[in-house]
Amino acid sequence: MAENLQSVAQLLEASLDPKQNKQAEIAILQQERKPGFSLSLLQIVSTASYPYNTRLASALCFKNFIKRNWTDEDGNYKLAQDEVVAIKRELIGLMISVPPGIQSQLGDAISVIADSDFWQRWDTLIDDLVSRLTVDDPVVNNGVLQVAHSIFKRWRPLFRSDGLYIEINHVLSKFGPPFLSLFENTDHLLEQNAGNKGALQQLFTSLNLMIKLFYDLSSQDLPPIFEDNLPAITSLLHKYLKYDNSLLHTDDDAEAGPLEYVKAGIFEVLVLYVQKYEDAFGEHLAQFVGSSWNLLTTIGPETKYDILVSKALQFLTSMVRIQQHAQGFNNEATLGQVVEKVILPNLSLRDTDMELFEDEPIEFIRRDLEGSDSDTRRRAATDFLRQLMEQFEELVTNVVFKYIDHYLSEYQKDPKNNWRAKDTAIYLFSSIAAKGTATASQGVKSINQNVNVIEFFQKNIAADLVSETGVEAILKVDAIKYLYTFRSQMAKEQWRVAFPLLVKHLGSSNYVVYTYAAIAVERILYLTGDDRQPMINQADVSSSSKDLLEHLFNLMEHDPAPEKVQENEFLMRCAMRVLIVIKDGVIPITDSVLAHFITITHIISSNPSNPRFYYYHFEALGAFIRYAAPSQPEKLEKALYPPFAGVLQDDVQEFMPYVFQLFAALLEANPAATLSDYYTSLIPPIIMPSLWESKGNVPALVRLLSSIIPRGATEIAKDNQIEPILGIFQKLVSSKANESHGFDLLEAVVGSFPPTALQNYFVPLMQIMLTRLQNSRTETFALRFVRFYHFVSARDDQGLGADFFINITEQVQSGVYVPLYLTVILPDTQKLARPLDRKTAVISLTKTLTDSSAFVDKYMKGWGYTCEALLKLLENPPVPSATDDIIVDHDVDDMSFGVGFTQLTTCKRIARDQWPHITDIKKWVGEHLQAADRRHSGRISRFVQERLPPEARDVLLSYMQS
């Protein structure tokens, strides 16, 4: 055991070395398959003699192992029972004893386990935690509180449910009383240790965790135990909102300390209670309003206070949303004080902001962008001012305009030195001009009726955008950002004048200016009017697209270090949007664009570090392939194969799902061609089980394999690769998460190989599907099975058809087809939603009526049921979806972005109509029935009279006679 432990530790150490990490990670994956691997990791974490980084790597590895291997999608343990028990037994004590950095990793693992097991399968956990709480040891208490927070924070974003409330009540019944006792006891210890810096820091860590837990426990409903003790609780919260102790001050003006974090946490709790429990909490609010005002009017401008100031402003914002509390601000004098003492100090640029602007421009942009999740003073002050304006629009506008005019006047006196005054004026105006929330696609949609955003731009901002020299860079940024923010307020004619000015600023030498120009250009190119037509169309951009793209790529490639190339995702997003807009206008500049994409792919493959950048990189590549590949498929296949294959050979896991999709897009651009040697050589590795272990790979691999199969059916059959491909289907279709992907793969196989090549597999395949239907049927599985039935039934001209399907099912179990058809296929056919699926079903049912031997003699009643199902489908005949050329990329700031599989939207697979010649489906049904009636000597007409009720008979005859 010790020897194995040492080898795992060595692999973990090697995984930290960039030169060895790939090989080490592969070796660790092999170790994972050994029994007790997770316990070995925990033992390494607990052994103080190992270096800290090795223990941290072990904790991280344990967290990721638990995420992948704790339970399957049905909640069953994937590990041995004794290993599960041992993990739960060891984990809590270990969490309490390790350093904070390791604690956070183990806490994430506990959260994963709790998602599955707490509380029914881990009902001893709370008792265990409570038993470990102490009266005088904050180090132990902090470990216990960290574990509790890891579990309870899961409740914050959840929707109400009976199960959730039962869980919370279980926790409160056991954890609530000792938690409040600990809160009170910690207060006493803080008083006793006011002069002991070490003890103070540990106790403030406890207090910070308790504030977080107070939020967790209150996040769904007001706990009765808290409501009963609200006066005492609010007294403690207020005490520590005002608390100060020089021993807790930090020396670094940029580093927030325990005081700031505790107070910020208290403000978060106050916001929650104002928003959800104001009826119970309202009487305690006044003291907090006064304290927050005092804090905001006395606190310094240092960066370390930013999080505290923003949370305090968020609290006041939540107060102002409530009419009765807002009335305290409803007079000109009070609002003037608010603007002067709270808004302006936090809205105005500080020296630290300008240092960030110059020294870390990309960080400045990310913090400054509207909609970012950064807790900046400017954003919080803006939100507070806008909320005041929501309540008292005209009064706030008048008060704020006095300050806007003042700052503009100050700027005019000395533009060279007073540029900050103009920046403040523009920010103030933007804050009161915009109403509601700005959207990612349209910017600000609703405007304060007391202002004119176009006039303000023309009088005060436009000149800064036009001037070549003499304008401070930050004012250039303000001008660009103004257009970006209010882009929906400008007409198409105005954009034709303003857009070239934005493009011109891509050539600025200032990083923030050209990046904001890229951000604005990208959003304007995406912008549409009320008629859903683009404000800037293909013709407006095509002539300059070569220079525009070349410049963007050069900006990205200026510093060839991998981390610098991918630093600025906004440039790549702009390049992506240009490619989307110019469409096939990229064809004349293919060579240049292709060369840049290949260069960037090679560079960033060596060290992927910015998921946002490489997502936009691959979306841009997807747009390029979508529009350039149909006219020159061989050229692109040949050029892109080496960099894409390099990604696979170097095991760049972050890129693999993207590369698989792009490989597929290249194939789909040229569906009639034979399979090249490049792709033929891809088949053996992509059907290896190891690639399919990663959940993020599965949808992309299915798409790629489904694109390869039609073009390479001959080679696949010759190389005996049908069976392993069907083995992949079996694995996918056994999983609820992947069952739909399994059917995609099966349809590709059945649609590409002649039935004779698959004759040995149809019965086992059917057995797999019928077993799933019987034992663990889901709505998705049933619908995909029905779609597959029609997929087969409609292809009678290819050796398949309804009789073929009946024969296969009857070989699995005699007599199974009738109940399957009556209880699954016919009723669920009506649930098919996609037009092409409904069209296939119409064709399938029509061909069953006309040409199925089984429905002539064996299933005579079934002929009538089939006809009625067909007529029901035709009541709402499937029509092709309207083509919408608007491509919406993913929100990279969404919490779920990058988790699992991310589909590329620029080159997503387009559903292919297998029967494009059938344009009027009702007419086709009538003609097909007529032709079959003639072919079978009037049999269809006879069945209509014999097997249909009068109403259905009349409707079907109307189709046949039209």
Side-chain angles (χ1 to χ4, degrees):
M1 177 68 180
E3 186 178 316
N4 182 57
L5 208 63
Q6 187 60 34
S7 65
V8 173
Q10 288 172 351
L11 288 173
L12 291 167
E13 288 172 10
S15 71
L16 302 174
D17 181 355
K19 295 178 182 177
Q20 305 179 65
N21 64 336
K22 289 294 183 186
Q23 299 92 321
E25 286 166 6
I26 293 168
I28 289 170
L29 287 172
Q30 293 170 344
Q31 289 284 335
E32 280 188 9
R33 300 188 179 97
K34 296 180 180 179
F37 174 73
S38 62
L39 299 177
S40 297
L41 293 175
L42 289 181
Q43 194 167 346
I44 293 169
V45 171
S46 68
T47 305
S49 59
Y50 284 114
Y52 173 81
N53 284 345
T54 304
R55 297 171 68 196
L56 180 60
S58 189
L60 179 61
C61 186
F62 175 79
K63 177 186 74 173
N64 292 330
F65 176 83
I66 291 297
K67 283 182 177 179
R68 294 192 303 268
N69 297 293
W70 189 252
T71 57
D72 61 21
E73 60 188 12
D74 295 318
N76 302 312
Y77 292 125
K78 294 168 73 173
L79 302 175
Q81 185 63 33
D82 58 346
E83 192 169 349
V84 168
V85 171
I87 288 170
K88 290 181 183 178
R89 184 180 63 242
E90 300 295 329
L91 197 50
I92 304 305
L94 182 57
M95 173 89 174
I96 291 167
S97 65
V98 295
I102 297 174
Q103 268 187 354
S104 66
Q105 299 300 327
L106 295 182
D108 289 344
I110 289 172
S111 187
V112 172
I113 295 171
D115 270 336
S116 158
D117 288 22
F118 187 72
W119 61 282
Q120 289 91 338
R121 295 199 295 190
W122 205 358
D123 57 358
T124 60
L125 175 60
I126 302 302
D127 291 328
D128 186 10
L129 291 175
V130 170
S131 71
R132 294 174 187 269
L133 289 172
T134 72
V135 177
D136 56 2
D137 191 342
V139 176
V140 172
N141 290 343
N142 291 344
V144 174
L145 296 172
Q146 187 67 57
V147 173
H149 178 53
S150 297
I151 297 165
F152 306 158
K153 69 181 179 182
R154 298 158 35 252
W155 301 334
R156 294 189 181 194
L158 300 180
F159 291 108
R160 301 175 70 129
S161 70
D162 290 345
L164 176 61
Y165 275 56
I166 290 170
E167 180 180 319
I168 293 173
N169 287 332
H170 164 80
V171 169
L172 287 168
S173 67
K174 295 173 178 288
F175 191 77
F179 172 73
L180 288 182
S181 297
L182 182 64
F183 206 163
E184 190 175 353
N185 189 56
T186 302
D187 173 48
H188 295 321
L189 289 173
L190 280 164
E191 289 183 351
Q192 294 167 14
N193 291 276
N196 183 338
K197 183 173 182 178
L200 272 178
Q201 289 178 327
Q202 288 291 348
L203 288 164
F204 252 75
T205 299
S206 300
L207 190 58
N208 190 30
L209 284 165
M210 282 188 280
I211 300 298
K212 290 179 180 178
L213 281 163
F214 189 78
Y215 191 111
D216 297 338
L217 294 164
S218 306
S219 60
Q220 288 291 329
D221 205 353
L222 179 56
I225 191 172
F226 291 174
E227 188 170 11
D228 294 342
N229 293 277
L230 213 48
I233 291 170
T234 54
S235 176
L236 281 174
L237 292 176
H238 189 242
K239 175 180 179 177
Y240 287 101
L241 193 62
K242 298 189 302 175
Y243 183 88
D244 193 22
N245 190 320
S246 59
L247 293 177
L248 292 171
H249 293 180
T250 59
D251 297 329
D252 187 345
D253 286 346
E255 181 189 353
L259 268 175
E260 289 74 46
Y261 285 118
V262 163
K263 292 181 181 184
I266 291 171
F267 277 123
E268 285 188 350
V269 167
L270 294 177
V271 170
L272 175 71
Y273 270 65
V274 167
Q275 291 174 341
K276 296 192 73 167
Y277 315 122
E278 196 271 337
D279 53 340
F281 188 61
E283 63 185 274
H284 305 285
L285 271 173
Q287 57 188 333
F288 293 105
V289 175
S291 297
S292 60
W293 177 261
N294 290 337
L295 184 149
L296 287 168
T297 54
T298 58
I299 201 165
E302 292 83 5
T303 309
K304 66 179 178 181
Y305 299 127
D306 284 4
I307 186 170
L308 176 53
V309 170
S310 65
K311 296 298 182 186
L313 286 166
Q314 287 168 23
F315 165 61
L316 289 179
T317 304
S318 69
M319 288 278 296
V320 173
R321 286 195 179 98
I322 300 169
Q323 185 67 35
Q324 67 188 75
H325 299 306
Q327 288 306 314
F329 297 94
N330 190 12
N331 67 79
E332 187 172 341
T334 302
L335 284 172
Q337 290 285 300
V338 168
V339 172
E340 201 159 307
K341 294 187 176 181
V342 175
I343 301 296
L344 287 172
N346 294 301
L347 202 69
S348 302
L349 277 173
R350 300 167 296 175
D351 290 341
T352 52
D353 297 322
M354 290 312 300
E355 288 170 10
L356 195 68
F357 182 93
E358 292 162 5
D359 300 337
E360 297 183 63
I362 193 67
E363 185 61 26
F364 176 90
I365 293 161
R366 289 184 181 135
R367 290 187 188 183
D368 186 58
L369 259 182
E370 183 80 34
S372 85
D373 58 0
S374 299
D375 285 317
T376 65
R377 294 190 187 215
R378 272 195 151 187
R379 181 158 302 108
T382 298
D383 290 343
F384 181 38
L385 185 56
R386 283 180 181 168
Q387 193 57 52
L388 286 167
M389 195 191 67
E390 289 287 324
Q391 297 285 8
F392 320 111
E393 185 172 300
E394 188 172 352
L395 181 58
V396 170
T397 303
N398 291 337
V399 169
V400 172
F401 246 100
K402 292 177 183 176
Y403 291 95
I404 293 171
D405 291 341
H406 165 74
Y407 282 110
L408 288 174
S409 174
E410 287 297 302
Y411 171 72
Q412 291 300 332
K413 291 175 185 176
D414 187 358
K416 184 176 181 181
N417 294 310
N418 290 352
W419 53 268
R420 291 195 191 200
K422 185 171 184 179
D423 172 79
T424 302
I426 294 170
Y427 233 95
L428 272 175
F429 181 85
S430 298
S431 297
I432 62 165
K435 292 177 66 176
T437 304
T439 67
S441 59
Q442 301 286 315
V444 171
K445 291 286 287 178
S446 182
I447 295 294
N448 178 351
Q449 295 305 304
N450 299 289
V451 303
N452 186 323
V453 295
I454 302 299
E455 181 184 275
F456 186 84
F457 175 77
Q458 291 169 338
K459 285 177 62 177
N460 301 296
I461 300 175
D464 293 339
L465 208 58
V466 175
S467 299
E468 297 285 346
T469 58
V471 178
E472 193 70 29
I474 198 76
L475 295 182
K476 289 278 189 186
V477 171
D478 287 343
I480 295 167
K481 189 178 177 185
Y482 189 94
L483 289 177
Y484 162 80
T485 302
F486 296 108
R487 56 190 179 273
S488 288
Q489 305 307 312
M490 293 175 61
K492 188 174 288 191
E493 296 72 28
Q494 292 168 320
W495 270 123
R496 293 193 189 282
V497 176
F499 185 74
L501 293 174
L502 290 177
V503 172
K504 184 187 77 171
H505 282 80
L506 285 169
S508 170
S509 60
N510 183 279
Y511 190 104
V512 180
V513 172
Y514 71 65
T515 300
Y516 250 115
I519 291 166
V521 165
E522 188 277 328
R523 286 291 83 186
I524 308 316
L525 289 176
Y526 182 79
L527 188 65
T528 58
D530 294 335
D531 57 359
R532 289 184 63 80
Q533 294 304 305
M535 289 290 188
I536 305 294
N537 58 35
Q538 183 180 6
D540 298 326
V541 184
S542 288
S543 60
S544 61
S545 60
K546 179 181 179 181
D547 294 338
L548 181 53
L549 287 167
E550 189 70 23
H551 183 66
L552 286 167
F553 284 127
N554 287 337
L555 287 172
M556 288 180 252
E557 297 169 23
H558 174 69
D559 185 334
E563 65 276 10
K564 296 303 289 183
V565 168
Q566 59 194 307
E567 174 184 70
N568 194 331
E569 66 267 19
F570 305 107
L571 298 176
M572 184 56 84
R573 189 182 191 188
C574 187
M576 173 199 76
R577 189 64 57 193
V578 172
L579 288 165
I580 290 170
V581 169
I582 66 173
K583 298 183 175 63
D584 55 5
V586 76
I587 293 172
I589 56 174
T590 292
D591 290 345
S592 168
V593 173
L594 187 57
H596 284 295
F597 276 132
I598 291 171
T599 298
I600 292 172
T601 303
H602 277 307
I603 292 171
I604 66 176
S605 293
S606 65
N607 183 24
S609 59
N610 184 353
R612 291 176 171 87
F613 180 91
Y614 56 73
Y615 163 68
Y616 289 127
H617 170 68
F618 289 117
E619 283 282 25
L621 256 169
F624 175 61
I625 290 169
R626 173 176 177 170
Y627 297 116
S631 64
Q632 43 197 330
E634 293 85 1
K635 178 178 183 174
L636 265 62
E637 282 186 23
K638 185 176 181 180
L640 290 171
Y641 184 86
F644 289 176
V647 166
L648 305 185
Q649 288 162 6
D650 295 339
D651 194 32
V652 187
Q653 295 186 13
E654 299 91 333
F655 291 1
M656 283 187 179
Y658 295 128
V659 165
F660 292 142
Q661 292 176 78
L662 295 173
F663 267 139
L666 284 166
L667 282 165
E668 291 155 8
N670 190 22
T674 57
L675 200 65
S676 68
D677 291 342
Y678 296 126
Y679 286 103
T680 304
S681 66
L682 268 183
I683 298 173
I686 67 172
I687 61 177
M688 292 292 288
S690 56
L691 268 184
W692 297 81
E693 294 298 323
S694 170
K695 293 178 183 177
N697 283 347
V698 169
L701 280 169
V702 167
R703 179 180 176 187
L704 175 55
L705 203 46
S706 299
S707 302
I708 287 174
I709 288 168
R711 279 177 55 170
T714 303
E715 291 86 347
I716 290 169
K718 185 179 69 178
D719 294 338
N720 297 316
Q721 292 167 329
I722 294 176
E723 191 163 319
I725 291 173
L726 292 175
I728 294 169
F729 160 76
Q730 182 177 0
K731 180 179 179 180
L732 295 178
V733 88
S734 67
S735 155
K736 292 175 185 174
N738 292 320
E739 56 196 14
S740 189
H741 301 306
F743 275 105
D744 286 342
L745 189 59
L746 183 61
E747 288 177 6
V749 171
V750 173
S752 302
F753 293 97
T756 51
L758 303 174
Q759 60 185 1
N760 294 333
Y761 306 113
F762 273 116
V763 172
L765 289 170
M766 189 61 65
Q767 194 156 15
I768 291 165
M769 289 185 277
L770 295 182
T771 301
R772 262 295 313 264
L773 271 176
Q774 185 175 5
N775 296 338
S776 53
R777 172 180 171 178
T778 65
E779 181 78 4
T780 298
F781 185 91
L783 286 173
R784 287 309 304 261
F785 176 81
V786 170
R787 173 175 143 173
F788 177 68
Y789 168 81
H790 292 302
F791 181 89
V792 173
S793 171
R795 283 169 168 73
D796 58 343
D797 56 335
Q798 298 172 31
L800 301 172
D803 288 344
F804 177 87
F805 197 97
I806 293 166
N807 179 46
I808 297 299
T809 54
E810 291 298 301
Q811 287 183 60
V812 174
Q813 182 184 335
S814 178
V816 76
Y817 178 75
V818 171
L820 181 69
Y821 193 67
L822 295 179
T823 63
V824 178
I825 295 171
L826 284 184
D828 281 13
T829 291
Q830 304 303 328
K831 298 177 185 177
L832 294 172
R834 298 195 323 168
L836 290 179
D837 293 347
R838 293 175 68 83
K839 180 178 182 180
T840 302
V842 167
I843 295 168
S844 157
L845 295 176
T846 304
K847 289 186 173 183
T848 299
L849 295 176
T850 59
D851 295 299
S852 168
S853 301
F855 278 80
V856 172
D857 304 317
K858 192 173 181 181
Y859 308 128
M860 290 181 283
K861 286 185 178 179
W863 197 95
Y865 297 144
T866 301
C867 188
E868 289 172 6
L870 171 64
L871 295 176
K872 195 168 183 181
L873 278 178
L874 290 173
E875 288 174 7
N876 181 23
V879 293
S881 301
T883 56
D884 193 341
D885 222 17
I886 296 174
I887 297 171
V888 182
D889 46 284
H890 294 284
D891 179 3
V892 295
D893 294 314
D894 189 280
M895 285 179 65
S896 63
F897 170 74
V899 177
F901 171 71
T902 302
Q903 184 184 46
L904 295 176
T905 60
T906 52
C907 61
K908 64 183 177 183
R909 189 170 194 174
I910 298 170
R912 194 161 63 91
D913 188 351
Q914 304 290 332
W915 292 275
H917 60 283
I918 302 175
T919 52
D920 185 334
I921 193 70
K922 283 188 174 182
K923 182 180 179 183
W924 177 86
V925 169
E927 291 174 349
H928 196 79
L929 289 168
Q930 287 175 342
D933 195 43
R934 291 192 296 270
R935 193 166 67 248
H936 297 303
S937 306
R939 185 174 76 192
I940 306 300
S941 297
R942 189 169 71 253
F943 285 175
V944 169
Q945 298 298 327
E946 296 171 357
R947 300 183 180 183
L948 291 181
E951 188 177 340
R953 181 192 311 148
D954 293 344
V955 175
L956 193 66
L957 286 173
S958 71
Y959 287 128
M960 293 178 66
Q961 293 164 4
S962 61

